[in-house]
Structures are given as structure tokens and as C-alpha cells.
């Protein structure tokens, strides 16, 4: 029944498998994502009935221009080709394959629930790590929830749980049947616990902002009900179950201290942001080339930058992880690809967001089906664009970003257009009533 999207579900499911301690970069899900692109290509050659529209080709293919120029400016052909392949995988090829494999809203919802299922699985592992002190090291204790991603990808579980929470909230705010909305609501509240125990400030900020956006888009009445429910859940979690530990409170308080009393991780982040900006000033149009940030980092960073990030726990030995990126996707693109790369890549993302919002407002206005799909797409894309201020691509969980852009692109470039055609061909209620009376 869901055969076309089964390969995409396999990519999501593989992220639930445990990884080798200390392993980074591409994982099994990345290999399967390549097979998804191949499978999609074979289907296109066989069926020849699902080509992308010219608008979709322009929006999704726009990053290729900046990436190609940056690849030619890389320090070596190998670095240029590997960097080009990674960017094309995450932002062009896999998203395009997801768009072409989704047939309708039913397929879309299956993928959205797959995100929720993966988040629940990783979240359950993360909560167990916190309770049993078998997680990643945080302030000398092995309590940080990281799921199966290990201490070298501490953002992995936080990202997965955030995606699942956003999907669950969007499904709960849609016009689905009552039982599905109730299950989605329970899943959203359940995922708040592992998200808190991830100690990821960037994920907290992006999730809180995205949830506020979704509630505002869903309507004032629903927003007030959800706010009351979240307040009640917070009282129960903090007062009843003692989720609000001293470390968690300290981590929350540190969000407001990033300028007054920043910790070393924040100092490193600011230092690398300054280094990325310096690289861009030297090469404003084309940047230093793909994968050029590590090579040019020391020549542009101040002495405040530490030698690396200490990681251990969750089954891995102590490791000094080098700081090879600015942990800001926009500055990473600006430093390595210059203004051309940033305009083409971020321009593609902005176009998707505008199209997604336009389709969402149209569904609201016409009260047609698809509100949940619109909210899922808008929410995932909003979360990702906010999170890119604090993070960039890298690690096994990155392939999930490609699926997110695919889901967002399907609604923005295909699903919303189909709803618009449906609205144009559906008679208004008064017209329909007159036709039935005649």
C-alpha cells in the first residue's frame, strides 16, 4: 500500500539502530538514502509520469549553482567532490526523491508518523540513559540523553526528538479524526521529557519558537488551549515527577547568560563565528571553498578558541573532538561558498517556506483537507531554519535533514498546488446548496 515511500521509511528506521561508539560522519541511513535516489530514478525512467514542475526544478535546483562554484574553489579536487556530494545529497537529491515518491497526503502522514515513532524510540533510550546514568558526560556525570547517537553527536537525539515533537503537534492541530489527534497530543507531551534531558539549548530554542508559530497558525483558540495544557504538563513533570533537576535549571538559566557569563562552549562558538566571518571578508563572493573551514580556521580564530570539545560516556571512551565547523549553517555556507552560495542555498529554503505558508493560508481559508500536512511542513522547515543558527550539517542524523526538506518541498511545491486546484474546482457551499435544490 505504501510501497513508494517504504525506502524513505527505511532511512528513518535505520537511524534507530545503535551506532559504533565514536563513529561519526555517514552511517547506514546515508547509504540507504543513496539507494532511495537510485530507486526514484528507476521509477522515473519506468513510469515517466511524475516529473517535477519547472517551478520545483528551479527552487530545488538553485543550490547547485553555488555548490558547483564552491567545489571548484576547494583546496583539492577530493575535498571539492566529497563536499559537493554531501551537499547535493542533503539539499537536492534526497529531497527531490522524497518529493517524487510521495503520492498523496496519506503517504505524507505515514512519513510524519515515522518521525514520531523514531523520536519516541530515541527518546525512550535517552530517558533510560538519564535515569541509569549511562548517557553522555555532562558536568562530570553520565546523564546527558543522546539516544543511540553517542557523545560525538550529542545533537542527534535532540534533533530527532524535536522533529517528532513538531510532527506530533502539527498532527494534533490538524483536522484529522479525534483518536488520531489524541494520540498525537500524547506523543507530543511525552517527547518533552527526552528533549529536556538532551540539555541541548539550541534544540530547546528552535522547538519552543516553532511550537509558538504552529499554535499561532492553527488559531487563537487552539493556541490558548495548548498553552493551558503545556502549563499543566509542566507543573506535573516538575512538581510531580521531579524532572526539573538543578542541572536542568542551570542549563535553562545559561541561555540568558550567553553574553554576560558565557561558558567555554559558547566562547568557542562565538570565536568560530568570528573566524567564519573573517574568511568571508577575504573571499566575499565565492568563499574559501567546500570543506575549507578547518584549513582556514586557525588563521582567522582568536586565542580564545579551545583545542576541542571533551566527549565521553554512552559506551564511548574519552575523546577530544576537534572543532571543525562554526556550528552555524549560515556562517558555514558564507565562509565556504560566499555570497553566491548563501543566496542560492538560503534562497531555496526561503522559497520553500513562502510556498508552504501560502499553501497553509489557502487551506485555512477554504477549509479543505491537508491542514495537518501544511503544519507539519511549515513546522519542520521553521525548526530547521532556526536551528541552523546554532548548528550545521554533520553526523549520522544529518540524513534526516534531507528527508525534512523533502517533506517540506512536497507540500510547498506539490501538495499545496493540488489543494489549490481542488479549491478551484470545488463549488462554494452556497452554490452547492442551490445546485442540490434544483
Amino acid at each position: 500500500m505504501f510501497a513508494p515511500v517504504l525506502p524513505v521509511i527505511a532511512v528513518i528506521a535505520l537511524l534507530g539502530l545503535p551506532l559504533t561508539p565514536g563513529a561519526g560522519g555517514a552511517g547506514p541511513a546515508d547509504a540507504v538514502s543513496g539507494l532511495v535516489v537510485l530507486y526514484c530514478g528507476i521509477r522515473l525512467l519506468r513510469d515517466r509520469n511524475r516529473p517535477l514542475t519547472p517551478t520545483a526544478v528551479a527552487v530545488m535546483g538553485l543550490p547547485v549553482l553555488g555548490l558547483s562554484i564552491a567545489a571548484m574553489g576547494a583546496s583539492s579536487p577530493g575535498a571539492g567532490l566529497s563536499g559537493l556530494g554531501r551537499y547535493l545529497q542533503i539539499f537536492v537529491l534526497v529531497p527531490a526523491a522524497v518529493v517524487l515518491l510521495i503520492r498523496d497526503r496519506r503517504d505524507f502522514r505515514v512519513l510524519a508518523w515515522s518521525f514520531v515513532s523514531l523520536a519516541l524510540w530515541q527518546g525512550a533510550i535517552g530517558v533510560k540513559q538519564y535515569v541509569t546514568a549511562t548517557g553522555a558526560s555532562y558536568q562530570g556525570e553520565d546523564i546527558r540523553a543522546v539516544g543511540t547517537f553517542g557523545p560525538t553527536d550529542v545533537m542527534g537525539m535532540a534533533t530527532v526528538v524535536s522533529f517528532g515533537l513538531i510532527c506530533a503537534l502539527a498532527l494534533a492541530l490538524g483536522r484529522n479524526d479525534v483518536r488520531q489527534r489524541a494520540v498525537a497530543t500524547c506523543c507530543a507531551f511525552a517527547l518533552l521529557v527526552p528533549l529536556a534531558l538532551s540539555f541541548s539549548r539550541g534544540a530547546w530554542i528552535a522547538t519552543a519558537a516553532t511550537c509558538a508559530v504552529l499554535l499561532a497558525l492553527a488559531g487563537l483558540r487552539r493556541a490558548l488551549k495548548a498553552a493551558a495544557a503545556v502549563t499543566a504538563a509542566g507543573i506535573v513533570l516538575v512538581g510531580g515527577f521531579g524532572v526539573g533537576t538543578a542541572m536542568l535549571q542551570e542549563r535553562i538559566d545559561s541561555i540568558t547568560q550567553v553574553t554576560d557569563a558565557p561558558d567555554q562552549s559558547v566562547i568557542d562558538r562565538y570565536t568560530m563565528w568570528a573566524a567564519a566571518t573573517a574568511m568571508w571578508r577575504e573571499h566575499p563572493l565565492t568563499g574559501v571553498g567546500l570543506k575549507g573551514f578547518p584549513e582556514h580556521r586557525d588563521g582567522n580564530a582568536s586565542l580564545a578558541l579551545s583545542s576541542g570539545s571533551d566527549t565521553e560516556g554512552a559506551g564511548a571512551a574519552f575523546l577530544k573532538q576537534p572543532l571543525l565547523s562554526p556550528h552555524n549553517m549560515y556562517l558555514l555556507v558564507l565562509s565556504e561558498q560566499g555570497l553566491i552560495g548563501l543566496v542560492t542555498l538560503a534562497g531555496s529554503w526561503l522559497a520553500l517556506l513562502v510556498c508552504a505558508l501560502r499553501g497553509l493560508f489557502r487551506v485555512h481559508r477554504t477549509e479543505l483537507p491537508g491542514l495537518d500536512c501544511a503544519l507539519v511542513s511549515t513546522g519542520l522547515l521553521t525548526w530547521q531554519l532556526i536551528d541552523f543558527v546554532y548548528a550545521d550539517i554533520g553526523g549520522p542524523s544529518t540524513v534526516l535533514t534531507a528527508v525534512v526538506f523533502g517533506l517540506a518541498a512536497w507540500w510547498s511545491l506539490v501538495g499545496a498546488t493540488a489543494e489549490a486546484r481542488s479549491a478551484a474546482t470545488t463549488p462554494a457551499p452556497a452554490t452547492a446548496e442551490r445546485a442540490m435544490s434544483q
Side-chain angles (χ1 to χ4, degrees):
M1 182 181 298
F2 302 109
V5 295
L6 284 178
V8 185
I9 296 175
V11 173
I12 299 173
L14 283 173
L15 289 172
L17 299 179
L19 299 172
T20 303
D30 289 277
V32 175
S33 72
L35 296 179
V36 169
V37 175
L38 179 61
Y39 170 71
C40 180
I42 294 174
R43 284 179 59 88
L44 285 178
L45 292 175
R46 186 191 65 186
D47 300 337
R48 297 181 180 275
N49 61 351
R50 287 295 307 276
L52 294 173
T53 64
T55 301
V57 172
V59 171
M60 302 191 70
L62 185 61
V64 177
L65 174 62
L67 290 172
S68 300
I69 296 175
M72 291 187 291
S75 59
S76 66
L81 289 175
S82 61
L84 179 63
R86 185 62 163 167
Y87 273 95
L88 289 179
Q89 173 204 8
I90 302 304
F91 298 116
V92 180
L93 296 178
V94 174
V98 173
V99 170
L100 291 168
L101 292 175
I102 296 177
R103 296 168 299 179
D104 49 32
R105 293 191 302 269
R106 185 174 58 176
D107 285 350
F108 185 97
R109 292 186 183 107
V110 169
L111 291 180
W113 278 110
S114 298
F115 272 79
V116 177
S117 300
L118 175 64
L120 291 171
W121 169 250
Q122 289 286 357
I125 296 176
V127 171
K128 179 183 178 182
Q129 290 171 336
Y130 176 82
V131 172
T132 60
T134 55
S137 177
Y138 179 75
Q139 295 188 0
E141 298 184 43
D142 295 341
I143 59 171
R144 188 168 189 174
V146 292
T148 63
F149 295 98
T152 57
D153 187 14
V154 294
M155 280 292 296
M157 190 211 75
T159 299
V160 168
V161 170
S162 298
F163 286 155
L165 195 155
I166 296 301
C167 287
L169 178 61
L171 291 167
L173 293 173
R175 301 191 184 108
N176 304 318
D177 61 89
V178 176
R179 183 171 61 179
Q180 185 173 175
R181 294 202 305 269
V183 173
T185 301
C186 294
C187 292
F189 282 123
L191 290 173
L192 288 173
V193 177
L195 179 62
L197 299 180
S198 70
F199 294 99
S200 174
R201 292 172 293 197
W204 292 347
I205 295 172
T207 303
T210 303
C211 289
V213 169
L214 288 182
L215 291 173
L217 292 173
L220 179 60
R221 182 180 300 178
R222 291 186 177 183
L224 293 176
K225 290 181 179 179
V230 169
T231 302
I235 294 174
V236 171
L237 289 175
V238 176
F241 297 102
V243 173
T245 64
M247 286 186 178
L248 184 58
Q249 185 61 48
E250 180 183 345
R251 189 68 166 176
I252 295 173
D253 294 339
S254 69
I255 295 176
T256 61
Q257 300 170 354
V258 293
T259 56
D260 298 332
D263 55 30
Q264 185 59 48
S265 65
V266 176
I267 293 174
D268 287 339
R269 191 181 301 269
Y270 285 164
T271 304
M272 290 188 293
W273 286 6
T277 304
M279 296 177 202
W280 166 67
R281 290 198 184 101
E282 295 177 1
H283 306 274
L285 287 180
T286 59
V288 298
L290 291 182
K291 292 201 168 184
F293 182 87
E295 182 180 346
H296 293 79
R297 183 200 63 183
D298 294 339
N300 293 276
S302 68
L303 296 178
L305 184 66
S306 65
S307 58
S309 176
D310 297 341
T311 63
E312 64 178 326
F318 175 81
L319 175 67
K320 178 74 74 172
Q321 192 172 10
L323 304 174
L324 303 179
S325 73
H327 296 292
N328 180 305
M329 190 64 198
Y330 304 107
L331 290 179
L332 177 62
V333 173
L334 191 64
S335 63
E336 294 188 344
Q337 304 178 39
L339 281 175
I340 296 176
L342 183 63
V343 169
T344 54
L345 196 58
S348 175
W349 302 339
L350 182 60
L352 289 178
L353 183 59
V354 170
C355 292
L357 288 171
R358 186 175 61 182
L360 189 150
F361 293 144
R362 185 184 296 118
V363 168
H364 253 311
R365 185 174 62 253
T366 58
E367 296 188 358
L368 287 171
L371 178 60
D372 56 339
C373 299
L375 290 172
V376 167
S377 300
T378 304
L380 289 176
L381 190 56
T382 300
W383 188 95
Q384 191 64 76
L385 296 184
I386 295 174
D387 185 70
F388 273 164
V389 177
Y390 309 96
D392 48 46
I393 57 174
S397 60
T398 299
V399 69
L400 206 59
T401 300
V403 181
V404 163
F405 277 104
L407 284 173
W410 179 85
W411 170 255
S412 301
L413 304 172
V414 179
T417 304
E419 296 298 342
R421 288 196 299 265
S422 176
T425 57
T426 301
T431 304
E433 290 176 3
R434 286 196 299 269
M436 290 176 64
S437 64
Q438 293 175 358

